Amino acid sequence: MKRNGKDVHQTGPAGKAVLAVIGAVQVAFAALAFWDLSHRADEELRGSKPAWIPVILVNWIGPAAYFAFGVRRTTR
């Protein structure tokens, strides 16, 4: 598909850099969620650890759901 004589499916160097940064942030977010899951006690979680593993693998939504709904917040 072309628009203004350019193929709209091509990404320039700046676009590729932005996509690389977004991808790196996404991987870091998931890695942080996995690290937290492995170091957190079972009593501090809603649900089981094995149940959260596939959830965290769902791009941005999984790690966000883990931190928003999976971790029990204690009031002091």
Side-chain angles (χ1 to χ4, degrees), residues 1-42:
M1 180 176 188
K2 292 193 178 221
R3 183 180 300 152
N4 296 333
K6 291 186 176 182
D7 190 357
V8 296
H9 298 292
Q10 291 181 346
T11 305
K16 289 180 183 178
V18 169
L19 289 175
V21 169
I22 290 171
V25 170
Q26 178 178 337
V27 168
F29 193 30
L32 178 63
F34 278 123
W35 181 88
D36 186 79
L37 180 66
S38 68
H39 288 84
R40 191 169 292 276
D42 291 339

Side-chain angles (χ1 to χ4, degrees), residues 42-73:
D42 291 339
E43 298 81 32
E44 297 177 5
L45 293 174
R46 292 187 182 104
S48 67
K49 285 185 178 187
W52 280 107
I53 292 171
V55 173
I56 293 172
L57 290 172
V58 178
N59 291 343
W60 293 97
I61 296 169
Y66 168 73
F67 286 117
F69 306 114
V71 177
R72 292 182 194 263
R73 305 283 182 232

